[in-house]
Amino acid sequence: MEKISRRNFLGVTSKGAAASIVAGTFAPTASSMIGLGGVASASSKIKPFTFAVLTDAHLYDLPAHRFDGFLEDAVAQVNALKPRPDLLIYAGDVGQAGKASELEKGQKILSKLKMPMLIIPGEHDYYLDMGADWRKRFLPKSKQGVEAWSHDHNGVHIIGMNSILISDFWTGAGLSDVERMGRVEELECHKCGLWGVEAKQLEWLKKDVAKLSPDTPIITFTHSPLWDYYPRWNFQTKDSAEIRQILSGFDKVMSIHGHVHQVVYNNVGNMTSAGLMSTSWPWPYPPVELTYPHIKMNRQNPGDFKDGMGSSSVSIGGDFDGTMKYHAFSADLLPANVAAGIPI
Ligand SMILES: [Fe+2]
Ligand SMILES: [Fe+2]
């Protein structure tokens, strides 16, 4: 297990390179913690804090593409938040087609963050080379095999998992790497099937939380939602029921996800779930009757390229009461109840 010193952790933002930011902040599990609290539990009080979230930049291998500027704007947005978030989680889809040039561009832009970053992959980062370049750039050496991680911060146990693992649909079909990526890039890839975290990460999760007391505050990060929102667009994680079962013994779990490129909220059992706006484009709402239909973005303005996008931040209170704030690029995007912050 990787040893990361407090100095390394706190010093990363001055190092400049995104690789060292990510590697340096990729604090693994409680036993190797960085002096910030050890095993999280409500009995060891939560120290209130804020973290920021960015997701779904979908950077293209094109010079000065407008999505580059959107990600830069989002980085500036979270850097300017007061108080400054303790850390930032990036929730997947840095690139569009998994190309090294796209991921490198993302790395450069994200290196301007003034807080440490943790990251999980999205399908657009992954299916050109099965995540090889993404792992090399964004994960420390000790994490090259398993993309799941956990990190304790101020009394909260934060978990990140790779939720976009798909059973092999490409070998039998004789697809090249580029063709495989091309298929997964589609919103509706009928031949790709449903994705999830799969058996290895489920085992990892069981072990990771086995040591925690039931009153431990848990926050999970996955690229896709941990509930069946709209499986046709992979707005789902195929083993989310197992994940919820593993975490069902905890008093409260907050699940935060990317991929849907929209404001969305749900609550299943002890788990609250919130989706994130992207910095690339907004997906339309799928034809699903949501339990909480009032927690949505307003209809996007097709004449405004930045409408329907932005960054997010979550403030965590001493009782593990969370508030999700959406920082839309276009201020009039959000209905008043969403703009005020959603309790999660
Ligand atoms: Fe995306
Ligand atoms: Fe995605």
Side-chain angles (χ1 to χ4, degrees):
M1 195 159 291
E2 193 181 34
K3 300 282 180 191
I4 296 171
S5 71
R6 181 182 174 85
R7 186 162 174 268
N8 284 344
F9 179 84
L10 297 174
V12 286
T13 52
S14 61
K15 288 181 182 166
S20 36
I21 286 180
V22 177
T25 58
F26 204 91
T29 50
S31 59
S32 66
M33 280 318 298
I34 41 189
L36 293 179
V39 177
S41 85
S43 53
S44 66
K45 261 188 179 168
I46 297 175
K47 190 178 157 209
F49 68 101
T50 301
F51 62 90
V53 197
L54 292 176
T55 193
D56 292 276
H58 290 267
L59 303 177
Y60 278 78
D61 182 24
L62 294 168
H65 189 267
R66 69 171 186 269
F67 293 178
D68 305 354
F70 295 170
L71 180 58
E72 280 163 5
D73 291 350
V75 166
Q77 230 179 10
V78 297
N79 280 345
L81 288 176
K82 293 202 175 27
R84 181 171 292 164
D86 286 11
L87 40 102
L88 178 136
I89 291 99
Y90 191 92
D93 287 350
V94 171
Q96 169 63 17
K99 292 181 184 173
S101 52
E102 299 167 356
L103 300 179
E104 186 182 2
K105 187 153 65 171
Q107 224 179 350
K108 266 191 200 142
I109 297 171
L110 292 169
S111 74
K112 293 174 191 146
L113 286 167
K114 292 181 178 168
M115 69 288 292
M117 178 176 82
L118 297 162
I119 188 166
I120 53 171
E123 80 279 19
H124 288 262
D125 301 317
Y126 207 81
Y127 281 96
L128 183 63
D129 60 3
M130 301 308 290
D133 193 66
W134 182 90
R135 279 190 292 275
K136 204 172 65 191
R137 289 176 191 281
F138 291 109
L139 297 189
K141 279 188 185 146
S142 62
K143 288 280 164 189
Q144 296 298 305
V146 184
E147 284 130 11
W149 49 261
S150 63
H151 173 67
D152 290 326
H153 186 76
N154 285 15
V156 175
H157 191 68
I158 306 173
I159 293 168
M161 285 187 289
N162 176 354
S163 70
I164 50 89
L165 298 174
I166 314 176
S167 303
D168 185 347
F169 67 87
W170 50 90
T171 305
L175 301 183
S176 68
D177 294 351
V178 172
E179 287 168 331
R180 176 181 59 211
M181 183 70 246
R183 290 274 179 91
V184 181
E185 271 183 69
E186 296 166 13
L187 181 60
E188 275 192 24
C189 177
H190 300 294
K191 301 247 166 87
C192 298
L194 299 175
W195 64 45
V197 304
E198 300 195 335
K200 216 163 128 187
Q201 286 187 98
L202 288 174
E203 278 312 303
W204 173 89
L205 180 62
K206 273 185 212 159
K207 279 190 200 132
D208 182 70
V209 300
K211 62 185 178 286
L212 304 174
S213 63
D215 60 353
T216 304
I218 307 267
I219 303 176
T220 65
F221 277 88
T222 45
H223 185 59
S224 47
L226 293 183
W227 56 287
D228 289 339
Y229 179 12
Y230 197 61
R232 187 171 175 146
W233 295 350
N234 262 309
F235 284 14
Q236 63 84 48
T237 302
K238 68 186 172 193
D239 27 31
S240 59
E242 285 98 320
I243 294 170
R244 293 198 306 270
Q245 180 62 36
I246 293 167
L247 300 176
S248 62
F250 291 94
D251 293 347
K252 183 178 171 185
V253 177
M254 289 179 198
S255 161
I256 297 170
H257 64 87
H259 187 57
V260 298
H261 298 211
Q262 61 192 222
V263 172
V264 64
Y265 176 84
N266 203 353
N267 184 351
V268 185
N270 66 336
M271 179 182 279
T272 55
S273 168
L276 301 161
M277 292 184 297
S278 75
T279 62
S280 50
W281 66 81
W283 283 126
Y285 281 96
V288 172
E289 281 301 322
L290 293 170
T291 321
Y292 306 93
H294 53 293
I295 301 178
K296 280 185 171 183
M297 307 186 293
N298 285 332
R299 191 171 176 180
Q300 299 89 32
N301 172 4
D304 179 354
F305 280 135
K306 285 180 88 173
D307 206 0
M309 295 177 282
S311 61
S312 310
S313 63
V314 181
S315 56
I316 301 291
D319 294 327
F320 198 35
D321 44 325
T323 304
M324 165 72 84
K325 291 276 253 180
Y326 292 97
H327 310 291
F329 290 143
S330 305
D332 58 354
L333 168 75
L334 299 173
N337 62 327
V338 176
I342 298 172
I344 57 168

